[in-house]
Amino acid sequence: MSQKKLVVAWEEIKSVTDLIPIEAKLLKLAKSSLKNAYAPYSNFQVGAAILLENGAMIGGSNQENAAYPMCLCAERVALSAVASQHPKLIIKAMAITVKAPNQIIGQPAMPCGSCRQALCEKEYQQKQPIRLVIRGEEGPIYCFQSAKEILPFSFDASFL
Ligand code: THU
């Protein structure tokens, strides 16, 4: 038997003013995108914004449904918009932010497991990492070099 350990790497950035301008802009789009959330059930708004290789930015927000399992996460809404409108372009980064109804979220709200899997699928497809820039409503920003960083031991097409 041998014990193994996993190390997760990320950058913690104190405030938006410390981000590089393109990532500050991307986070700003994520923030404005969450205003388009349709979240009458959870009242929890999520905004995601994707930076493409040509510099274009595409936003997405969570879209809920009275049939709860149909709820769509912001991250996958944004990924699907890119897949539909710009299928050939590489995704360089995604910014994510949230707004909760009854508390100020002061730390990054991390993508759910399904969104991590969807992000990893895109990385596998495009053979390039997607940088993640994640912030709560306020507080520090966590940056990950790749979605794989937050989904260790991931399942991908190499197993099939
Ligand atoms: N949600 C997202 O949009 N992204 C995530 O990664 C986690 C959760 C949404 C789904 C639902 O509309 C609301 O947040 C509460 O779970």
Side-chain angles (χ1 to χ4, degrees), residues 37-39 41-47 61-65 68 71-77 96-98 109-116:
Y38 174 66
Y41 306 106
S42 72
N43 291 307
F44 189 80
Q45 299 174 304
V46 185
S61 55
N62 54 325
Q63 302 295 319
E64 298 187 347
N65 193 286
Y68 293 172
C71 291
L72 302 172
C73 290
E75 296 89 332
R76 278 176 286 157
V77 167
I96 305 161
T97 190
V98 298
M110 297 296 292
C112 75
S114 296
C115 289
R116 294 178 198 205

Side-chain angles (χ1 to χ4, degrees), residues 70-139:
M70 284 182 63
C71 291
L72 302 172
C73 290
E75 296 89 332
R76 278 176 286 157
V77 167
L79 282 171
S80 299
V82 167
S84 310
Q85 294 165 38
H86 308 281
K88 296 212 169 92
L89 294 185
I90 298 287
I91 294 180
K92 302 299 277 186
M94 177 186 280
I96 305 161
T97 190
V98 298
K99 189 167 170 42
N102 45 20
Q103 60 169 323
I104 304 278
I105 309 270
Q107 78 262 351
M110 297 296 292
C112 75
S114 296
C115 289
R116 294 178 198 205
Q117 183 71 26
L119 283 159
C120 286
E121 179 76 21
K122 191 66 190 178
E123 285 189 343
Y124 189 89
Q125 181 201 359
Q126 68 178 21
K127 297 184 187 68
Q128 281 194 44
I130 299 171
R131 182 170 161 85
L132 302 176
V133 178
I134 310 177
R135 194 184 192 217
E137 189 175 347
E138 58 180 40

Side-chain angles (χ1 to χ4, degrees), residues 22-60:
I22 190 97
E23 290 183 357
K25 195 174 166 199
L26 195 64
L27 195 55
K28 203 171 166 191
L29 177 60
K31 194 168 179 162
S32 64
S33 295
L34 66 69
K35 298 196 175 90
N36 298 329
Y38 174 66
Y41 306 106
S42 72
N43 291 307
F44 189 80
Q45 299 174 304
V46 185
I50 287 174
L51 173 66
L52 297 172
E53 61 181 335
N54 66 357
M57 292 181 183
I58 309 284

